[in-house]
Amino acid sequence: MSRIFAIGRKEFVHIFRDPRIIMSVFGMPLIQLILFSYALNYDITNIPTAVLDQDKTTTSRQLVQSFSASGYFAIDRTLSTEKQIDDVLTEGADKVIIRVPAGFAKKIAKGGKAPVQVLIDGSDPNTAQTAAGYSAAIAQFWSGKVVAEAFERRGLVAAEGIQPIEPRLRVWYNPDMKSVNFLLPGLIAIIMMNIAIVQTAMAVVREKEYGTIEQLIASPVKRYELMIGKIGPYLGIAIIDIILVSLVGIFLFGVPFRGSIIVMAIASALFIFGSLGLGLIISTMSSSLQTANQMATFLSFLPGFMLSGFVFPIRNMPVVLQWATYLVPARYYLSILRGVFLKGTGPSILWPNILALVIYSTLTIVASALMFKKKM
Amino acid sequence: MGETNSVVVDHLVKRFGDLTAVDDVSFTVKSGEIFGFLGPNGSGKSTTIRILCGVIDPTDGNASVLGYNVRTQPEEVKRRIGYMSQRFSLYEDLTVDENLDFYAGVYEVPPERFAERRTYILEMAGLVGRENELAANLSVGWKQRLALGCSIVHEPKMVFLDEPTGGVDPVSRRQFWDLLYEMADSGVTLFVTTHYMDEAEHCHRLAFIYQGEIIALGSPAQIKADQMTSTVIEVDCDDCERALEAIGRLDDVQEAYLYGSMVHANVDDARKAKRTIKEAMGASGVGLREMRIVEPNLEDVFVSLMDKMERR
């Protein structure tokens, strides 16, 4: 026991005496939280929009009006010819162009279908997708209104009590569509991976690079004592970070926490242990800090970022990549965190994810114990 | 303790792929002696010491330290020995005290005992008053003594030192060897590798290792007597480089090499050789100041031994 403490104590001194490590384990998580919350914003409003109204009727103006009234589209230009459409889109100043063809009002008056063209600049797929969604909703809403008015003109509404169908977009679990709500759980996973995988791997490899590992191997320290002593401090820091980031998220950014702390604690413990194991495995395979850093980044950060659903939704990925996500532990942890934070989901639904994390942590801890030899 | 052996090495072999680093080596180290392990870089010194400390496994053969087999009971060995590796394994971002404290923890030294050891080691290493300095800020001589202190914090009966004086200035080297003598006097067995010949003279017994094989074993005097069948002529002249070239070509000279600012020549027939050397110097135009027969020292022995090995 005293040996584990000796190693753990020494590791703490290493951490607190190296500003780079301090920055990496305490500064980075908070900076990431703030950056991601403000910069990586999926909330799209005020999309610059141009209008080509070739109908020039009250009806067409009403339609354009409902676009600008939605708040999603900011109409900053009115075009007069079709030729201009090309120029505007190429120039890139406006992302959306609404074209109301001539005869629009007449077609509506006759009760027929009246096409409206919405051109969207697809070079920023995120904005494009959102713009497409909003314009479809607005068009539907508007046509509902038109139908209702048509009924009204024929005096049908009051008599029959028929309400016009009014589509209302309702986003569940994250009703304000606040990106920070969606990102915070992912951020926790990313931070855990940085501390548990990258820092642990570096902590062991540092001893190799400085030659001190040889001294430890020649000492009576046991394998498990070295492992526990090494990962203990990082385990502690990881837990502090989870709490810190969660509190900042909840109290500063108003992220809801609807589920059970116990579920979150269990999932976090499993994920951290799995990651610490992976960190140790990487440390046994690399002999320099650079290799360790690269391997850790490649095995944790990239898949954690790209394939966990943190930034890119999994169901939008090509099928092959979707399969690949099943191999990314962060995916399961992320599902649990989002469930706990946003939906208040309990273990009855989350258990497959928890099981996946049990398998992950068992595998890596066993593998690292087997690979972590006390020999050179 | 009398004549017991602290280390017994029996037909030890270590291969790294195709390279045989240690080739069928056998020797013993007596309790309480300073045993010098001598050889050029890459001769297998560090590999042997690492096997004895349980850091790497031997490919073949056996070795025991303090009665424990390094292959089957490595942890028993590790508990009882001190090891100072080539790179003075200190944590540079830890202070003097923190380094000592860490190794005391690793070797499970009880706190009361550690307080005593700490005082002793700080005094021994001349680090009193610098307890809170970072190891990184110490000069090499102090680092070396702190590293020694860390490796003996648990009072081992046997200490392995792998080139402990590498890169250290002559004064610090001298001080360091004084510490080693003190330890030997108190009954600690020391196993030291070095490639400094003057340090080898300080050892009670020596083993010469060359390309993984032990080519000479015994006390310095014994080795000199046994191995040095030839006579050493010391040549003092005004251009050593050219003299060395001229002397090296002579048939009467087995081996010629620089020794300080002079040339040493190993010869069988001293009188005949003196004559031919004089002639050769005259022919090459090098001014000869003096030429004399000298007592061979370990460096002469080692060069002559290596020469024999190469010719074999």
Side-chain angles (χ1 to χ4, degrees):
Chain A
M1 242 355 228
S2 86
R3 295 201 197 112
I4 297 178
F5 278 121
I7 292 168
R9 208 163 49 227
K10 170 182 84 72
E11 211 55 40
F12 263 120
V13 177
H14 287 317
I15 294 169
F16 286 100
R17 219 157 265 171
D18 189 342
R20 284 169 305 179
I21 306 181
I22 287 278
M23 188 60 206
S24 177
V25 298
F26 290 116
M28 283 307 282
L30 288 176
I31 291 174
Q32 277 175 333
L33 179 62
I34 290 162
L35 269 185
F36 281 130
S37 312
Y38 288 118
L40 212 120
N41 205 332
Y42 296 149
D43 313 344
I44 293 159
T45 51
N46 293 322
I47 307 165
T49 305
V51 170
L52 173 60
D53 186 356
Q54 295 170 313
D55 193 42
K56 296 195 178 76
T57 57
T58 324
T59 323
S60 71
R61 273 192 293 276
Q62 271 173 2
L63 175 73
V64 171
Q65 172 60 30
S66 54
F67 268 87
S68 66
S70 73
Y72 299 117
F73 302 91
I75 295 162
D76 54 11
R77 207 189 306 218
T78 313
L79 311 178
S80 45
T81 67
E82 262 174 71
K83 254 194 74 197
Q84 283 175 298
I85 293 179
D86 237 13
D87 299 340
V88 168
L89 280 182
T90 319
E91 195 186 307
D94 288 314
K95 302 289 175 204
V96 174
I97 292 164
I98 303 165
R99 174 175 163 256
V100 189
F104 173 75
K106 265 186 211 151
K107 278 182 189 158
I108 284 184
K110 270 196 246 160
K113 274 189 184 167
V116 175
Q117 195 175 28
V118 179
L119 291 146
I120 301 169
D121 179 355
S123 56
D124 176 359
N126 229 337
T127 312
Q129 209 174 3
T130 317
Y134 289 147
S135 27
I138 291 169
Q140 209 182 340
F141 176 46
W142 204 77
S143 53
K145 235 166 63 178
V146 171
V147 171
E149 280 165 10
F151 275 122
E152 224 170 296
R153 271 199 298 278
R154 287 165 204 173
L156 286 169
V157 171
E160 302 291 326
I162 292 172
Q163 292 296 320
I165 300 153
E166 188 186 311
R168 274 196 194 153
L169 223 55
R170 272 199 65 195
V171 182
W172 278 16
Y173 311 127
N174 185 5
D176 307 329
M177 286 284 273
K178 261 167 56 183
S179 295
V180 64
N181 292 359
F182 176 75
L183 286 172
L184 182 96
L187 201 55
I188 290 178
I190 294 285
I191 291 165
M192 288 311 96
M193 283 194 291
N194 174 39
I195 295 170
I197 301 180
V198 184
Q199 299 301 335
T200 314
M202 305 277 266
V204 178
V205 176
R206 208 172 289 126
E207 302 250 4
K208 282 192 194 175
E209 204 162 273
Y210 296 163
T212 43
I213 191 83
E214 192 177 337
Q215 201 72 44
L216 289 180
I217 293 170
S219 80
V221 164
K222 292 193 178 61
R223 219 158 53 140
Y224 76 89
E225 292 171 331
L226 192 53
M227 279 175 66
I228 297 174
K230 275 271 166 198
I231 64 181
Y234 290 98
L235 179 67
I237 291 174
I239 291 169
I240 292 172
D241 267 346
I242 291 192
I243 296 171
L244 196 69
V245 170
S246 300
L247 290 181
V248 170
I250 292 168
F251 290 107
L252 208 67
F253 294 106
V255 176
F257 188 90
R258 300 196 170 97
S260 127
I261 289 182
I262 294 168
V263 173
M264 175 167 166
I266 291 172
S268 301
L270 289 170
F271 186 67
I272 293 172
F273 275 120
S275 304
L276 291 170
L278 188 56
L280 283 180
I281 292 174
I282 291 171
S283 78
T284 60
M285 294 196 294
S286 38
S287 55
S288 77
L289 286 171
Q290 212 190 347
T291 338
N293 204 349
Q294 277 170 357
M295 270 179 82
T297 308
F298 185 74
L299 284 175
S300 69
F301 256 6
L302 283 182
F305 231 90
M306 305 292 194
L307 298 177
S308 67
F310 173 44
V311 180
F312 307 111
I314 291 173
R315 57 171 188 287
N316 289 4
M317 292 175 190
V319 185
V320 181
L321 276 189
Q322 287 196 25
W323 293 336
T325 63
Y326 287 105
L327 295 173
V328 179
R331 174 206 160 120
Y332 305 104
Y333 185 47
L334 201 58
S335 302
I336 296 171
L337 286 182
R338 282 189 178 145
V340 169
F341 269 96
L342 305 179
K343 304 187 203 171
T345 320
S348 55
I349 290 170
L350 292 174
W351 70 266
N353 293 301
I354 294 172
L355 183 67
L357 288 183
V358 169
I359 295 169
Y360 166 59
S361 56
T362 313
L363 278 181
T364 62
I365 290 286
V366 169
S368 65
L370 291 176
M371 289 169 74
F372 197 79
K373 289 267 151 56
K374 227 192 106 186
K375 284 280 177 203
M376 279 190 95
Chain B
M1 282 261 255
E3 281 286 283
T4 53
N5 288 325
S6 287
V7 178
V8 179
V9 175
D10 184 23
H11 296 289
L12 200 66
V13 176
K14 178 67 185 181
R15 286 189 206 93
F16 296 105
D18 287 339
L19 177 87
T20 306
V22 176
D23 193 359
D24 195 19
V25 160
S26 300
F27 63 88
T28 57
V29 177
K30 295 192 187 79
S31 298
E33 73 177 351
I34 303 182
F35 186 84
F37 209 51
L38 225 67
N41 290 332
S43 54
K45 292 188 307 258
S46 293
T47 307
T48 309
I49 218 168
R50 282 176 170 170
I51 293 171
L52 293 179
C53 295
V55 175
I56 52 177
D57 281 328
T59 312
D60 207 359
N62 258 311
S64 71
V65 173
L66 299 172
Y68 296 96
N69 188 313
V70 296
R71 205 197 269 273
T72 54
Q73 302 160 290
E75 298 308 314
E76 295 300 322
V77 174
K78 288 173 184 178
R79 207 189 303 277
R80 289 169 176 82
I81 60 160
Y83 172 51
M84 179 175 161
S85 68
Q86 230 170 35
R87 288 209 271 173
F88 310 160
S89 299
L90 297 169
Y91 294 95
E92 303 239 315
D93 54 339
L94 264 57
T95 64
V96 170
D97 247 349
E98 285 164 344
N99 268 293
L100 284 174
D101 196 47
F102 171 65
Y103 283 109
V106 161
Y107 285 96
E108 295 182 304
V109 180
E112 326 80 59
R113 191 83 196 100
F114 174 59
E116 268 170 57
R117 290 299 288 168
R118 179 178 167 271
T119 317
Y120 166 77
I121 289 166
L122 288 175
E123 267 168 30
M124 168 209 90
L127 283 165
V128 177
R130 307 184 67 174
E131 296 87 346
N132 294 321
E133 236 171 273
L134 290 185
N137 299 339
L138 300 176
S139 67
V140 186
W142 269 298
K143 273 187 197 168
Q144 173 205 38
R145 290 194 292 272
L146 176 58
L148 176 68
C150 288
S151 65
I152 59 164
V153 70
H154 57 300
E155 297 171 89
K157 281 266 149 260
M158 165 99 225
V159 181
F160 291 88
L161 304 108
D162 195 1
E163 294 197 14
T165 53
V168 176
D169 65 273
V171 178
S172 300
R173 261 173 64 191
R174 193 50 175 275
Q175 289 175 336
F176 191 78
W177 272 91
D178 287 343
L179 291 177
L180 296 190
Y181 279 133
E182 240 174 74
M183 283 168 62
D185 284 345
S186 68
V188 177
T189 311
L190 296 167
F191 186 107
V192 186
T193 74
T194 182
H195 54 238
Y196 291 113
M197 298 298 160
D198 58 330
E199 289 186 353
E201 302 263 10
H202 298 316
C203 299
H204 298 125
R205 285 199 318 136
L206 290 175
F208 268 151
I209 185 165
Y210 182 68
Q211 292 185 348
E213 284 178 68
I214 288 189
I215 56 175
L217 186 70
S219 71
Q222 244 176 334
I223 289 181
K224 281 184 234 174
D226 292 354
Q227 302 292 330
M228 232 23 213
T229 48
S230 53
T231 312
V232 180
I233 297 177
E234 189 170 82
V235 183
D236 187 2
C237 56
D238 57 12
D239 188 343
C240 288
E241 299 285 335
R242 270 168 64 203
L244 179 64
E245 219 188 296
I247 296 169
R249 272 199 303 260
L250 299 173
D251 289 336
D252 292 332
V253 175
Q254 292 171 0
E255 184 73 14
Y257 44 92
L258 287 173
Y259 186 81
S261 63
M262 285 174 277
V263 178
H264 275 194
N266 293 346
V267 299
D268 282 330
D269 185 342
R271 225 175 329 146
K272 194 175 156 221
K274 266 186 161 178
R275 211 169 39 234
T276 47
I277 289 173
K278 206 176 212 168
E279 283 165 15
M281 302 286 276
S284 58
V286 179
L288 180 68
R289 279 191 219 113
E290 209 195 332
M291 190 156 51
R292 60 184 167 256
I293 293 169
V294 292
E295 265 302 297
N297 56 37
L298 277 173
E299 189 155 350
D300 297 312
V301 175
F302 200 37
V303 171
S304 128
L305 269 173
M306 285 184 9
D307 180 51
K308 270 186 214 158
M309 295 302 292
E310 267 159 27
R311 269 194 247 162
R312 201 173 58 178

